[in-house]
Amino acid sequence: MGLFNFKMPEHFIIMNNPLIIGAWISIILVSVGIVFFVTKYKKWGYLWREWFTTVDHKKIGVMYILAALLMLFRGGFDAILMRTQLALPDLKVLDAQHYNEIFTTHGTVMILFMAMPFIIGLMNVAVPLQIGARDVAFPVLNAASFWLFFVGAMIFNISFVVGGSPDAGWTNYVPLAGSDLTPGVGINYYLWGLQIAGIGTLATGVNFFVTILKMRAPGMTLLRMPMFTWSTLITSIIIIFAFPVLTVTLAMLTFDRLFGAHFFTIDAGGMPMMWANLFWIWGHPEVYIVILPAFGIFSDVISTFARKRLFGYNAMVISMVAISGLSFIVWVHHFFTMGNGPWINSVFSITTMAIAIPTGVKVFNWLFTMYKGRIETPAPMLWSLAFIPNFLIGGVTGVMLASAPADYQYHNSYFLVSHFHYVLIGGTVFGCLAGMYYWWPKIFDFKINERISKWAFWLFVVGFNLCFVPMYLVGLQGMPRRVYTYGEHMGWTTWNFVETIGAYLMGVGFMLIVWAIIYSILHEKRDRSGDPWNGRTLEWAISSPPPHYNFSRMPSRVTSADPFWDAKKRGETMFDENEPLKPIHMPNNDGMPIVLSGFMFIAGFGFVFEWLLIGFIGLLGVIGSMIWRSFKDYDADHYVQVDEIERDQAELKAALEGRS
C-alpha cells in the first residue's frame, strides 16, 4: 500500500438494489430541496451565525436531538426491513448479504448514533440549567463534540450508498471483521465512523464532569443536585474511563486492516479473543452510559408529576455509583459461550447478578415516590410509567442470562435479542422520549400536543410488547439470532408474523410522534412563563426559551434538591431581586469546531478507502485547526450589557404576570 495509491473499489457507487436506488433518489431530492429552500429564503447566513458556529449549549442540545431523531428513523427503517424479511418463511425481500449489512447498521446506528446523541442532547439542554450555570465549562469543545459526532455519523451512514456497508455485526468481531474474511471498505467505515464520533463523546464526558463539579450555583452541594444531573456526572465518569478503551481498540483493528499489523490475527502472535474482551470492556459500561441518564430523567419526571420529593434520594445516588462500578467488572457475560473456564464464568455470573441489586433499589424508590402522590399523567409521565414494567422484564431476563450454564442455551437465540431490546428500548428509548416531552417546553415555548402524543404512546408501547414478547418464546423454541430466513417446518412462522405486526405498530407510533411535533409547532399555545409542569428544579425558574446567558442573576436560594418547588411554597423567587444587574461574560460563536470536523471527515473518508495521502492531509488539517485556534489573537468572548438583560427581564416579568 503506497502513500499515493488512489485505487478505486470495485463498487464505489452502490446501485445494485432497488432499496438502495430508492435511498439515492431520496438523498438527492432531500438535499436539493434543502439547498433550494435555504437559498430561496436567504437563510445561509442565519444558519452559519446561529447554528453552525454556535457554542450555546441549548442549541447544541437541539442539534443533537434532531440528529438522534433522524438516526432513529434510519435505524427503525432498518428494523422494519429485517422484520419484513422474517415475517414469513423463505421470503426474498433481502438477500443474505443485504440482511447482514442492515443487521449491522441497525445495531450500530441505534446504540451509538441514536441513543448516545439523544442522551447527550438532553444533557446539554438541561444540566447547565439545573445547576444554575450560564454555560458548560468548555463551550467551544462542546461544539466540537457535536460536529465530531455528526461527522462520524455521516461517514458511517454514507456507507450503504458509497463503497458498501459494514456487515460483521454491530460488535464487529474478529476474525470475521479482519481483512482476510471481510475485504473491502465496509469495516473501515465502521472503524472510522465510531472512532470520530467516540472522540466527540469522550470530550463531552470531560466537559460535563468539569461543568458539574465546578459551575454549580451557590448553595447547590452535590447532595442537592437534581437526579438527572447526578446521573450525568456518573455517566461522564464512565465515559472518561470507558471510551479510551474503544478508541485504542478501533485504532488497533485499523492498523491491522490498513497497515498489516497483527493485533487480532492468529498468525504472528495476535489474539482474536482480545477484540471481544476489549470491545466489551467498553461495551458494557456503554450500556450504562445510555441507561443511567434515563434513570435520572425518570427520577425527575416521576417526582414532578407525583408532586412529591424523590423517595430515598441518597439511596438513589449510592445505587447509581454502585451500578457504575459494577459495570466495569461484568463484561465477560457477553461471551460465556466462547470457551472461558468455569471459575471465570462463575465470578462474572456473580458480578452480573449483583448489578440487579442497586437497580432494584431504584425501582422501589420510584414506586415509593408515587405512593400517595397526586399523580398526573401527561406524556412524559406515561413514558416513565411504561418504563417500570417493561424494564423489569428486561432486568429479570438479564438475571436469567447471568447464569453461565443457562446462558449456553439462551445466548445465540432470540431470547437474548428480546432481552437487550427490553433494556435498551424499555429503558433508554422510553427515557429519551420522556425527557424530550418533559424539556421540550423549556427548549421552546410550547408543549407537544398531548392528544396525538398519547395515541403515539399507546401504539408504540403495544407494538413494542407485541414485537418482543414473542421473541422470548421463539427463542426458547430454538430460533437462532442473526439468521436472514428460516424454513416453514421449523414452526416459528406465527410468532415471527406477530413480531412483524408489532414492529410496524412501533413505526406508526414513531410517525405519530413526529406528527405531534409538527402539529404543535403550527398550532400549540405559546407560553414563555417557563414553568408549564409546575416544576421543582432550577430550569423551570427562568423563561422559555431561556436567554442565551440562561440566568440574569445567579440563583441564590438553593437549600434542597427541589429548590424551585420550595421557593414557590414560600412565595419567593430563586433570585435576589435587590442584587444589581451586572454585565455577563459569555463566549463568542466559533467556526473552528465545524472546520476541524470537516477536516476530520476528509481524513476519515480517505482512510476508509485507504487513500493515505488524503487521510493524512485531513489529519494535518485537524491539527492545524487546533494550532490556529490556540495561537490566533481574536475575540473569544464578550459581555452581555445590563440594558440587554433589563429588556429580557421586562419580557419575562410580563410573561409571569400573564401566567398569574
Side-chain angles (χ1 to χ4, degrees), residues 133 135-141 206-212 214-215:
D135 210 316
V136 295
F138 308 113
V140 176
L141 182 64
V206 173
N207 209 340
F208 277 91
F209 177 73
V210 177
T211 298
I212 294 169
K214 302 296 290 184
M215 299 184 69

Side-chain angles (χ1 to χ4, degrees), residues 10 14 141 161 169 200 212 400 419 453 545 594 598 613 652 654:
E10 183 179 354
I14 307 298
L141 182 64
V161 292
I212 294 169
M400 295 169 65
H419 156 71
S453 296
I594 193 170
L613 181 62
L652 173 59

Side-chain angles (χ1 to χ4, degrees), residues 141-273:
L141 182 64
N142 197 29
S145 296
F146 168 75
W147 289 111
L148 287 170
F149 148 74
F150 186 80
V151 163
M154 290 303 99
I155 285 177
F156 186 86
N157 276 277
I158 64 173
S159 64
F160 76 109
V161 292
V162 179
S165 292
D167 58 358
W170 87 272
T171 54
N172 205 52
Y173 284 147
V174 293
L176 177 60
S179 54
D180 288 340
L181 295 179
T182 310
V185 300
I187 303 300
N188 295 344
Y189 270 120
Y190 175 97
L191 296 172
W192 282 96
L194 269 63
Q195 186 71 278
I196 294 169
I199 293 169
T201 301
L202 180 57
T204 296
V206 173
N207 209 340
F208 277 91
F209 177 73
V210 177
T211 298
I212 294 169
L213 288 186
K214 302 296 290 184
M215 299 184 69
R216 302 190 305 278
M220 182 170 284
T221 63
L222 288 174
L223 291 178
R224 290 176 181 171
M225 296 193 308
M227 199 52 61
F228 181 60
T229 299
W230 255 114
S231 68
T232 299
L233 175 61
I234 294 169
T235 297
S236 299
I237 295 171
I238 300 176
I239 288 172
I240 290 167
F241 282 98
F243 264 81
V245 179
L246 177 67
T247 301
V248 171
T249 307
L250 294 170
M252 291 165 70
L253 186 54
T254 300
F255 273 87
D256 274 13
R257 291 183 60 88
L258 267 63
F259 304 112
H262 294 283
F263 291 109
F264 303 116
T265 57
I266 295 175
D267 57 331
M271 185 184 298
M273 272 301 298

Side-chain angles (χ1 to χ4, degrees), residues 14 33-34 57 67 95 98 100 197 210 260 356 382 396 419 452 479 509 526 528 582 590 609 633 647:
I14 307 298
I34 290 172
H57 67 93
D95 60 33
H98 197 186
N100 284 344
V210 177
L382 285 177
V396 169
H419 156 71
I452 302 173
M479 183 173 180
R526 268 48 183 172
R528 290 211 57 218
K582 301 174 184 177
D590 199 319
F609 287 93
D633 182 20
R647 287 197 303 271

Side-chain angles (χ1 to χ4, degrees), residues 47-55 143 147 588-591 594:
L47 289 173
W48 178 259
R49 291 189 309 272
E50 298 297 326
W51 293 94
F52 294 164
T53 62
T54 187
V55 296
W147 289 111
N588 288 337
N589 286 356
D590 199 319
I594 193 170

Side-chain angles (χ1 to χ4, degrees), residues 87 463 466-467 470 493-503:
L466 201 59
C467 182
T493 304
T494 301
W495 289 130
N496 274 281
F497 189 75
V498 171
E499 291 162 18
T500 302
I501 293 172

Side-chain angles (χ1 to χ4, degrees), residues 454-469:
K454 289 181 177 178
W455 272 101
F457 166 80
W458 285 112
L459 280 171
F460 194 97
V461 172
V462 170
F464 169 64
N465 284 280
L466 201 59
C467 182
F468 291 104
V469 166

